[in-house]
Amino acid sequence: MTLGMLASQENASKVDPDASVDKWKIFRALCEAKEMVGVSDRALAVLNALLTFYPKNEIAEANGFVVFPSNEQLSLRTHGMAGTTLRRNLAMLVEAGLIIRRDSPNGKRFARRNGEGGLGEAFGFSLAPLVARAREIEAQAAQVLAAKLEWKRLRERLTLCRRDIAKLIEIALEEQIAGEWIEMQTHFNLLSASLPRRPSATEMESLLTDLEAFRELIVKTLELKTKAEKTDANDSQNGRHIHNSNPHLTFELEPGFEPKQDAKPEEEPRAWREPPKSFPLAMVLQACPEIVAYGPGGGIGSWRDLMAAAVIVRSTLGVSPSAYQLACDIMGPENAATVIACILERGGHINSAGGYLRDLTRRAERGEFSLGPMLMALMRANGPAARKTG
């Protein structure tokens, strides 16, 4: 007798006299929640056999709680289970608090008849704990079922995301769009290979976050490449239009407004470019995990947290406020903070963080810098596949 068995007996003694439960409904719930309850398939087979000896479908106090089959009868109804195995699984059901032993003085299982010819006192196994724990077991079964549905949902999302990525890379390769598509395909294969054969929901959720961020990177890269090709085509058309115009076209000017021969031409105003859209925050944090420690409270949960961390890192790296402000103006504050995170991640390979940021800012202003390849390289270095092989 253990403390757990004593607790089960005490709970069973407090069963509401009017309470009842369908024996097959509670058995199906136990089959769902068997791992949480702590019973094996064999033990459930023995419980199933015990339930077949209960005369009614509803387990209730009015019908009695005790069943009293012999081991020989139980062995027949468990398809010839050996006696030692039978006793071991009966003990497991008792330890799990699903049945209670009601032993007779001589250890036999039987029932006495009362004066009216019905069953009186019975010795065997009481099923009262199934009534007492019905709500608990049903809640556990619902929890297991919800976990299975969530696992299935994650598996479907993972399959769709992998299919999208494979199609996008295939399109990019077929259309011969400029980019590191072979490297991206290799990275995608490594990410996919990092998933175990029988993954848990947590493992699938982690990989799904990485793959969704990777898919977003591919989509943004394709959008930038397509937009750049359209811009080049428009510039080429405009250039041909200007070339075909009359270069000797003159304008009649009012006196006093003729240009001076030695006057220097005014400097053309700097063309304003709309800052490129930022990449997903999850992707940035996956590629640049070191900046997380500089976030408010040692964590980063939003773009505002990342930008606050970037200000601290900017000072630590020795980047001047003017250089960082110019980067924010040209790239946008989110992308500038992302660049600071990338510089921090590659700190050991950069001699002057400030000079490097100014160079990237100038290139971004000319449309010659894309943040995607930099994030891509860091994702390959810090992604789950790299952590697995590292």
Coordinates of all heavy atoms in Angstrom, one line a residue, residues 43 47 57 74 139 155 158 244 266 296 323 363:
A43 N -2.1 -2.6 -19.8 CA -3.0 -2.3 -18.6 C -4.4 -1.9 -19.0 O -5.4 -2.3 -18.4 CB -2.3 -1.2 -17.8
L47 N -8.0 -3.5 -18.1 CA -9.2 -2.6 -17.6 C -10.4 -2.9 -18.5 O -11.5 -2.9 -18.0 CB -8.8 -1.2 -17.6 CG -9.9 -0.2 -17.2 CD1 -10.3 -0.5 -15.7 CD2 -9.4 1.3 -17.3
N57 N -23.9 -0.3 -18.3 CA -23.1 0.6 -19.0 C -22.7 1.8 -18.2 O -21.6 2.3 -18.3 CB -23.8 1.1 -20.3 CG -23.6 0.1 -21.4 OD1 -22.7 -0.7 -21.4 ND2 -24.6 0.2 -22.4
L74 N -10.3 -13.4 -16.3 CA -9.6 -12.3 -16.9 C -8.7 -12.7 -18.0 O -8.6 -12.0 -19.0 CB -8.9 -11.5 -15.8 CG -9.7 -10.6 -14.9 CD1 -8.8 -10.0 -13.8 CD2 -10.4 -9.4 -15.8
A139 N -10.7 15.8 -19.1 CA -9.9 17.0 -19.4 C -8.5 16.6 -19.9 O -8.0 17.3 -20.8 CB -9.7 17.8 -18.1
R155 N 2.3 20.6 -38.7 CA 2.9 19.8 -39.8 C 2.4 20.3 -41.2 O 3.2 20.4 -42.1 CB 2.5 18.3 -39.6 CG 3.1 17.3 -40.6 CD 4.6 17.1 -40.2 NE 5.2 16.1 -41.0 CZ 6.4 15.7 -40.9 NH1 7.1 16.1 -39.8 NH2 6.9 14.8 -41.7
L158 N 4.1 23.6 -42.0 CA 5.5 23.3 -42.4 C 5.6 22.8 -43.8 O 6.4 23.2 -44.6 CB 6.1 22.3 -41.4 CG 7.6 22.2 -41.3 CD1 8.2 23.5 -40.9 CD2 7.9 21.1 -40.3
N244 N 17.3 61.1 -78.4 CA 16.6 61.4 -79.6 C 16.1 62.8 -79.7 O 15.7 63.2 -80.8 CB 15.5 60.4 -79.9 CG 16.0 59.0 -80.1 OD1 17.1 58.8 -80.5 ND2 15.2 58.0 -79.7
E266 N 24.7 74.8 -61.1 CA 24.3 74.5 -59.8 C 24.3 73.0 -59.6 O 24.0 72.2 -60.5 CB 22.8 75.0 -59.6 CG 22.8 76.5 -59.6 CD 21.4 77.0 -59.2 OE1 20.5 76.1 -58.9 OE2 21.1 78.2 -59.3
P296 N 16.0 46.0 -24.0 CA 15.4 46.3 -22.7 C 15.1 45.1 -21.9 O 14.4 44.2 -22.3 CB 14.1 47.1 -23.0 CG 14.3 47.6 -24.4 CD 15.2 46.5 -25.1
A323 N 26.7 59.5 -38.2 CA 26.8 58.4 -39.1 C 25.5 57.5 -39.0 O 25.0 57.0 -40.0 CB 28.0 57.6 -38.9
R363 N 26.5 53.3 -50.4 CA 26.1 52.3 -51.3 C 24.6 52.2 -51.4 O 24.0 52.0 -52.5 CB 26.8 51.0 -51.0 CG 28.3 51.0 -51.3 CD 29.0 49.8 -50.7 NE 28.4 48.5 -51.2 CZ 28.6 47.3 -50.7 NH1 29.4 47.2 -49.6 NH2 28.0 46.2 -51.2

